[in-house]
Amino acid sequence: MTESGKTSWGAAIGGGIVGAVLTAAGLMLAGPSMFGEKIVRDALVANPEIIMEAGDSLRDKQFAQTLAPIRASLETPFHSSWKGATQPKVTMTYFFDYACGYCRQSNPDIERLIAENKDLRVIYRELPILGPDSVAAARVSLAASKAGKFAAYHDALNAAGRPSPETIAQAARAAGVPARPDNDPAQEAELRANMGLASQLGATGTPLFIVGDRVINSAVGYEGLKTAIEAARKG
């Protein structure tokens, strides 16, 4: 190939590249939606979890403002109403009702997570909203907590089934606490405080979990809670 041919070929390649760049730039300037919207749409179709992650991030940021002034109250247990690490890196607060089927469904997942995560502490907060038996069970639970026997009573009542005068008495005997505890202003204050905290978080029922800046008002199962714990650990 002659020198002039090389020059012409090089010019053609150079001109083609420049022309392609200018054409692309012109199209992007003239119709950015043609590219931008398609790129975004294709990305969301290929990775739909992006939408969920963005929603989770926004929700967590919104809850962070609500949680900040009440976090100490949420994460300070009533006497022995907690399980897990004594010096936790992650704390999960769990509002529950002994009469709540979804709470009983969640309990094995919580026990598994405590066993697997040695840096996890679970704070149990009584939220008896499903009737007189719920309230009675919660009062005995708080009395057991004050006596340092929360876990024994809690596990025994959950094993016995839905709270009733019979199952509450059975769990109380197993834990070594009275089935009909004396009136205690501290216990009543705890129940009122828990109702207030749940209300501030917009709770519509139980279970209610708070892990880091994440508020979960449903039985999301082992994987859902595990994900929340991992996110809280990362900060």
Side-chain angles (χ1 to χ4, degrees):
M1 181 179 291
T2 64
E3 189 65 33
S4 61
K6 291 181 179 178
T7 302
S8 297
W9 181 245
I13 295 174
I17 294 172
V18 172
V21 172
L22 291 175
T23 300
L27 286 170
M28 292 181 72
L29 289 172
S33 62
M34 182 184 300
F35 290 91
E37 291 180 6
K38 186 176 187 305
I39 290 170
V40 172
R41 183 175 61 253
D42 290 349
L44 293 177
V45 169
N47 303 279
E49 67 274 12
I50 292 174
I51 298 176
M52 297 179 64
E53 290 173 358
D56 289 345
S57 178
L58 177 59
R59 179 200 59 209
D60 293 349
K61 287 180 180 178
Q62 292 171 335
F63 270 121
Q65 298 177 0
T66 303
L67 289 168
I70 61 174
R71 189 174 297 281
S73 297
L74 288 167
E75 296 185 356
T76 301
F78 183 84
H79 294 282
S80 64
S81 295
W82 62 276
K83 292 184 180 183
T86 55
Q87 295 182 323
K89 291 183 179 178
V90 180
T91 298
M92 177 167 72
T93 300
Y94 170 34
F95 287 82
F96 70 99
D97 185 322
Y98 282 109
C100 168
Y102 292 112
C103 298
R104 289 199 300 276
Q105 178 182 315
S106 299
N107 288 330
D109 297 325
I110 295 170
E111 294 295 334
R112 178 180 172 186
L113 289 163
I114 291 171
E116 293 176 349
N117 297 270
K118 301 306 180 183
D119 62 348
L120 172 67
R121 172 187 279 191
V122 178
I123 305 297
Y124 293 80
R125 308 219 83 94
E126 313 280 344
L127 195 64
I129 57 177
L130 296 177
D133 286 340
S134 292
V135 175
R139 285 178 173 148
V140 178
S141 182
L142 292 174
S145 176
K146 194 170 182 179
K149 300 179 178 181
F150 168 80
Y153 173 81
H154 179 81
D155 294 347
L157 184 53
N158 280 312
R162 189 180 176 87
S164 67
E166 293 74 25
T167 57
I168 292 170
Q170 177 183 335
R173 284 195 300 272
V177 297
R180 293 186 178 180
D182 296 333
N183 290 332
D184 185 340
Q187 294 174 20
E188 299 307 311
E190 172 70 5
L191 293 176
R192 288 194 300 271
N194 289 348
M195 292 289 182
L197 290 169
S199 178
Q200 286 181 263
L201 296 172
T204 57
T206 53
L208 172 66
F209 301 96
I210 300 91
V211 193
D213 289 335
R214 192 162 296 184
V215 176
I216 305 169
N217 197 187
S218 60
V220 294
Y222 169 80
E223 291 296 337
L225 293 175
K226 179 181 177 182
T227 297
I229 291 166
E230 290 173 349
R233 187 178 288 119
K234 293 176 182 176

